[in-house]
Amino acid sequence: QLRLEESGGGLVQAGGSLKLTCSASEGVSSLSTMGWYRQAPGKQRELVATVTGHTTRNYADSVKGRFTISRTTNWRTVSLQMNSLKPEDIAVYYCNYTRLSVDSWGQGTQVTVSS
């Protein structure tokens, strides 16, 4: 079973940066989609950013221009560079892998932004 391992969460001041990384435990399809979702306290999980292959990227409006998603050439690792962080970015961030009937989630990593 595919496992996703996340790293990079933490505490940062408003305006600061963090980078999240997620690696798949085995080889994955180049046609798959990997990305990040987040869930703030009391709210539903929402899309942050996804990438299909290497170049098809999708961002939530709230993070456009601040966050950048990228993927390694073997498609197994996806990173989310988060700049200009705001208190409203506080959430648990989850990595996701999707391809056909496979839909896997990481355990989540906490991002906290102090104002």
Side-chain angles (χ1 to χ4, degrees), residues 47-61:
L47 178 145
V48 176
T50 62
V51 56
T52 302
H54 285 135
T55 59
T56 302
R57 296 178 176 87
N58 183 37
Y59 293 97
D61 288 343

Side-chain angles (χ1 to χ4, degrees), residues 31-81:
L31 301 178
S32 62
T33 298
M34 291 185 74
W36 294 91
Y37 292 71
R38 66 187 181 187
Q39 188 166 16
K43 295 188 177 181
Q44 289 189 329
R45 191 173 296 188
E46 63 177 5
L47 178 145
V48 176
T50 62
V51 56
T52 302
H54 285 135
T55 59
T56 302
R57 296 178 176 87
N58 183 37
Y59 293 97
D61 288 343
S62 60
V63 306
K64 283 180 181 176
R66 300 189 298 123
F67 292 9
T68 302
I69 192 167
S70 60
R71 197 170 184 180
T72 54
T73 53
N74 66 1
W75 302 288
R76 289 177 63 176
T77 298
V78 64
S79 297
L80 185 69
Q81 178 66 45

